[in-house]
Amino acid sequence: MDFTLSYLREALSNYTDRNGTSQTIYKKLESGNFSSERDFVYQLDEEEMKFLNDVLPDEIKYAFEEQDFVRGNQLNEVYELLI
């Protein structure tokens, strides 16, 4: 799994106990063999994409506030593919 998807999986772990869509996405990340974030995004359905569009801006903002620029930029790469 590439680093971008590892950061995404880590961010999603904060939501898996309270949202079924996040659990589905998390399981896709765990079981999938995606060579890139683009390959992963192409496997998402509309509901999953909407969930990530709602969650990722907050996760990106938090990463930058914590000065974790690598994580923020990696999550932003996924977000850009969604929009």
Side-chain angles (χ1 to χ4, degrees):
M1 177 181 300
D2 83 359
F3 289 110
T4 303
L5 296 178
S6 296
Y7 283 111
L8 178 60
R9 186 177 67 190
E10 179 186 345
L12 284 174
S13 69
N14 297 319
Y15 300 90
T16 56
D17 62 340
R18 53 189 156 158
N19 186 292
T21 302
S22 65
Q23 291 174 0
T24 303
I25 299 169
Y26 190 87
K27 287 177 185 175
K28 280 185 180 182
L29 284 168
E30 281 190 322
S31 63
N33 188 17
F34 305 103
S35 60
S36 70
E37 58 273 6
R38 182 177 307 274
D39 291 340
F40 172 72
V41 169
Y42 286 154
Q43 299 298 316
L44 298 174
D45 65 28
E46 191 173 324
E47 181 180 343
E48 294 164 340
M49 292 175 81
K50 182 184 179 327
F51 175 80
L52 289 176
N53 273 322
D54 292 341
V55 168
L56 283 177
D58 292 335
E59 290 294 324
I60 294 165
K61 180 180 175 186
Y62 178 77
F64 285 129
E65 286 174 352
E66 295 297 313
Q67 297 184 358
D68 190 347
F69 301 113
V70 172
R71 182 175 189 235
N73 287 324
Q74 296 294 311
L75 292 174
N76 193 56
E77 284 185 30
V78 175
Y79 184 64
E80 288 177 353
L81 290 170
L82 293 169
I83 51 176

